[in-house]
Amino acid sequence: QVQLVESGGGLVQAGGSLRLSCAASGRAFSSYAMGWFRQAPGKEREFVAAISWNGLSTDYADSVKGRFTASRDNAKSTVYLQMNSLKPEDTAVYYCASRLALISRARGAYNYWGQGTQVTVSS
């Protein structure tokens, strides 16, 4: 069992930055690939970024590539999402998720989810 808790969301102006954190508790965090997803009102939850268990492999949605960076600190059982050059269309609830396998863009591939943190970008 893995428990995930996101933090770091908030209100920011367009062009600004935020860093989201996802703290994990439970077993063998360093064995899990981690994903970030987001869900805007009235839309489906979509893939944002993923990072492998050792941090050496990452993947990003085209909409955030070059602006967002995923990283992790296995000693702290925490994964991060640095978000720069934020746009109003980035407004959503952001979720982290984990899976005991390679990184994936598929929502259904992840076993454990956090409760989400709200990110609002004003124009």
Side-chain angles (χ1 to χ4, degrees):
Q1 189 78 4
V2 176
Q3 294 81 41
L4 303 172
V5 179
E6 303 94 336
S7 62
L11 173 64
V12 63
Q13 288 188 332
S17 298
L18 282 175
R19 188 176 81 156
L20 305 184
S21 298
C22 173
S25 60
R27 298 168 54 181
F29 172 78
S30 60
S31 300
Y32 286 82
M34 301 296 295
W36 286 98
F37 292 77
R38 66 186 181 186
Q39 188 167 18
K43 295 188 176 181
E44 291 192 352
R45 194 171 299 189
E46 65 176 3
F47 169 77
V48 175
I51 185 167
S52 63
W53 67 274
N54 57 5
L56 294 182
S57 180
T58 55
D59 187 23
Y60 298 95
D62 288 345
S63 59
V64 307
K65 199 170 293 183
R67 300 187 298 122
F68 290 11
T69 303
S71 62
R72 65 190 296 160
D73 185 339
N74 286 344
K76 296 182 178 179
S77 296
T78 301
V79 63
Y80 305 98
L81 185 67
Q82 178 66 43
M83 307 186 296
N84 299 329
S85 303
L86 282 161
K87 305 175 181 180
E89 51 263 44
D90 294 319
T91 295
V93 177
Y94 283 71
Y95 300 87
C96 67
S98 66
R99 68 188 303 254
L100 258 177
L102 301 177
I103 60 174
S104 172
R105 293 189 170 204
R107 199 171 56 203
Y110 290 83
N111 307 106
Y112 302 103
W113 292 81
Q115 84 290 346
T117 185
Q118 176 71 48
V119 171
T120 303
V121 184
S122 63
S123 57

